[in-house]
Amino acid sequence: YIPCIQKKQQKTGMSKRDSLHKDIARFTNEKIQGSDVILMFPFGQAEFGYYTNQKVFMTTQWLTGYIPTNIDKFQYIFENDLNYSIEKLRSGGSWEEMWKSVDEDLILKWRREYDITHVIRENELPLDFPVAYGNDHYKVYDLRLLGNSQDD
């Protein structure tokens, strides 16, 4: 068990969507510092990338933006790390299903390979990483606080 850095969890009284787009976004913009910051957040919440000032990892926007970026990286992660296919997504799969399959080992792999520094995760899908902030619906995990031994 890794203790929470911020002992008090914020009670926002907001909807789940608002707690992500307003409260968590405010935290990421005001309290997370550094030019190396890369946030990972629920795959199905791609619009969150517009609310934060930080760089983001693995969003559907990589495919659907005006000028798609990171297509090769996205395809590699999609097919190899997530073991997914376009066919599976079209035939009843979902971004939510993929997100729920992401575990601590995969996050640590992405930390090593893509330098992810923070994970935003729903409270009902907890991780055993240091918590920098939380509210009624989400926690922000700070992977920079893990020892390097966690990467092995």
Side-chain angles (χ1 to χ4, degrees):
Y1 174 75
I2 298 174
C4 180
I5 296 158
Q6 179 177 322
K7 300 295 183 196
K8 183 178 177 192
Q9 180 164 311
Q10 295 294 321
K11 296 288 183 188
T12 63
M14 295 180 184
S15 70
K16 189 171 186 176
R17 184 177 191 274
D18 282 350
S19 76
L20 179 63
H21 293 165
K22 294 179 181 177
D23 186 47
I24 297 296
R26 181 175 47 248
F27 176 80
T28 66
N29 292 335
E30 295 175 3
K31 302 295 184 185
I32 297 178
Q33 305 294 317
S35 60
D36 64 333
V37 172
I38 300 175
L39 304 177
M40 185 175 115
F41 55 89
F43 298 152
Q45 300 293 329
E47 68 275 5
F48 178 77
Y50 296 114
Y51 291 86
T52 183
N53 298 331
Q54 309 293 351
K55 291 179 271 185
V56 298
F57 173 77
M58 182 60 188
T59 73
T60 56
Q61 300 294 23
W62 284 4
L63 295 178
T64 60
Y66 179 68
I67 300 174
T69 59
N70 299 304
I71 291 173
D72 292 338
K73 187 188 304 182
F74 183 93
Q75 182 176 358
Y76 179 85
I77 293 167
F78 187 76
E79 293 174 353
N80 296 292
D81 292 345
L82 295 170
N83 297 314
Y84 233 77
S85 68
I86 294 298
E87 293 76 23
K88 184 174 180 180
L89 190 59
R90 287 183 180 153
S91 65
S94 69
W95 292 107
E96 183 179 348
E97 177 186 31
M98 277 185 268
W99 176 247
K100 287 180 178 180
S101 75
V102 173
D103 61 15
E104 289 156 350
D105 290 336
L106 186 54
I107 291 169
L108 290 174
K109 177 183 187 293
W110 290 343
R111 177 183 178 219
R112 286 188 306 272
E113 295 177 4
Y114 304 109
D115 300 318
I116 295 169
T117 60
H118 294 79
V119 178
I120 298 166
R121 185 84 163 191
E122 299 87 344
N123 289 343
E124 61 269 18
L125 300 171
L127 299 166
D128 193 21
F129 296 138
V131 176
Y133 182 75
N135 65 26
D136 297 339
H137 303 284
Y138 293 93
K139 286 195 174 35
V140 179
Y141 297 91
D142 190 341
L143 304 181
R144 298 177 300 183
L145 298 174
L146 295 172
N148 289 335
S149 63
Q150 292 266 341
D151 287 334
D152 297 330

